[in-house]
Amino acid sequence: MKIRILAAALLAAPMLAPAQTLPSKEPAKKDAARGAPLATVNGVAIPRARGEALLNQQKARGAPDNDQTRSMIREELVNREVLMQEAQKSGVARSPEVAGQLDLARQEIIISAYLRDWVRKHPVSDADVQKEYDRVRAEQGDKEYRARHILVETEDQAKQVVAELKKGAKFDELAAKNSKDPGSKDRGGDLDWHGPSDFDRSFSEAMMKLEKGKYTEMPVRTRFGYHVIQLDDVRSGRFPSLAEVRPRIQQQLTQIRIDELVKGLRGKAKVE
């Protein structure tokens, strides 16, 4: 649709904004000061606040706040209003499907605004980030492991795999034949290089206890099933600096707090 193209164009080439649509700076400032509508389409005013909301969206995506961007936003909102008026005339806005979508969109906008405000009032502190960084670094250590595994559904199946290995069967062949991990079975169960924290705790603990070339003789259970793990190699690893991972840690801790908020609210809610 043209609306989507125009919206995307706000981040693209400036030449997409026709020169003749550029407003002069002084009238724009005067209009803004008076709180005048951004435009009027068939007698319907487009609120200036709507333009500012769209401008803020585009600024968050890297668009500059200049006359050209504002002109493109005005043209976008005029096009939307023209289509909106036609849509209202057609009666499509009264359909149950559209009503349901509008209800969902309204809910999402309000919830997003609430969560942004909640996060602003409950920020993740530098101390929180440092603590999580130190925890992960201690857990990860300074080594990386190259392991392979065979994932099966039951403990008995895993024990059968171990029995075949003890009889001399090759690990990679058993993985190709038995493993239910589609990402590694065709590579003989090879998981490539990883730090311990990349795996479930029970998996990493069993893996780190192995000598190179050895496999687990007892099945290792995780949320995915039962594993037989073989350690192929170990090497020194580089742990990223705090500066490199700070944004990711902040995002993860923020999501954890939001999840806890939702869990707490659900716990107090009466759901029938």
Side-chain angles (χ1 to χ4, degrees), residues 8 11 33 52 135 147 158 171 188 194 209 213 237 260:
L11 298 178
E52 292 300 316
R135 184 193 69 78
F171 198 99
H194 287 281
K209 291 177 181 177
E260 291 173 348

Side-chain angles (χ1 to χ4, degrees), residues 158-203:
K159 288 180 177 179
Q160 180 60 38
V161 168
V162 172
E164 293 185 47
L165 287 170
K166 288 183 176 181
K167 292 178 183 178
K170 293 184 179 180
F171 198 99
D172 56 349
E173 293 177 357
L174 288 179
K177 179 181 177 181
N178 298 289
S179 183
K180 67 172 189 173
D181 176 11
S184 69
K185 66 176 297 180
D186 293 336
R187 302 196 308 270
D190 182 22
L191 295 169
D192 209 342
W193 291 100
H194 287 281
S197 64
D198 292 338
F199 302 109
D200 278 20
R201 183 180 295 275
S202 58
F203 187 104

Side-chain angles (χ1 to χ4, degrees), residues 243-254:
E244 290 177 278
V245 295
R246 179 186 294 277
R248 191 193 320 164
I249 293 176
Q250 287 179 322
Q251 184 179 22
Q252 290 172 344
L253 292 179
T254 297

Side-chain angles (χ1 to χ4, degrees), residues 6 8-18 21-22 54 67-77:
L6 286 173
L10 294 175
L11 298 178
M15 67 185 67
L16 292 175
T21 65
L22 292 176
L54 185 54
D67 282 348
Q68 196 163 26
T69 299
R70 287 176 177 270
S71 176
M72 293 177 73
I73 286 174
R74 181 182 184 279
E75 294 304 303
E76 167 73 5
L77 291 179

